[in-house]
Amino acid sequence: MCLKERSISYTSIGILNACKLQQGLPKYFCSKNLPKRDDIVILIDEDGDECEVIYLAEKRGLSGGWRGFAIDHGLVDGDALVFQRIRPKTLKVWLQVSWQSWTEITT
């Protein structure tokens, strides 16, 4: 799994590893935008639908609820995600399917 940060401190771009039960996030993004302790974080997708997930501060990852979010959105390994903090403990998530996912959907 590879996650890259943009220079804007409240935005992070991630490449998804959908098979995992936990999605890791960059340290800098977490320290600036997410709680210092384990807590519930709300993900808002492109349609405005909300999903609660558990943020594990020490592991800097999204856990409980993350797998369901990935399944509900049809995410697969290689899909790109953009996380943007819009409020404390609330992240907007933009999904960009990988070329492999797109060809599977359209064939």
Side-chain angles (χ1 to χ4, degrees):
M1 176 179 59
C2 172
L3 290 176
K4 296 182 181 182
E5 290 184 73
R6 294 180 58 181
S7 60
I8 303 170
S9 64
Y10 57 84
T11 304
S12 177
I13 297 175
I15 304 300
L16 177 68
N17 185 342
C19 297
K20 291 193 171 189
L21 297 177
Q22 178 178 322
Q23 175 67 40
L25 297 167
K27 183 178 181 178
Y28 179 77
F29 178 79
C30 293
S31 66
K32 296 287 184 188
N33 298 292
L34 293 171
K36 305 296 182 215
R37 298 174 188 242
D38 295 356
D39 206 341
I40 293 174
V41 172
I42 298 170
L43 302 179
I44 302 176
D45 68 15
E46 295 163 318
D47 296 326
D49 295 330
E50 297 184 4
C51 178
E52 288 187 353
V53 298
I54 296 173
Y55 171 67
L56 302 175
E58 190 172 307
K59 293 184 178 185
R60 295 186 312 271
L62 303 176
S63 188
W66 168 253
R67 187 168 184 269
F69 180 86
I71 290 169
D72 289 348
H73 290 84
L75 302 177
V76 299
D77 288 354
D79 287 350
L81 306 173
V82 176
F83 297 92
Q84 179 184 24
R85 184 190 64 122
I86 57 173
R87 292 187 298 275
K89 299 192 288 183
T90 303
L91 302 175
K92 176 79 175 175
V93 183
W94 283 275
L95 314 170
Q96 179 67 43
V97 297
S98 67
W99 179 252
Q100 179 181 1
S101 297
W102 178 252
T103 55
E104 290 172 3
I105 292 169
T106 58
T107 57

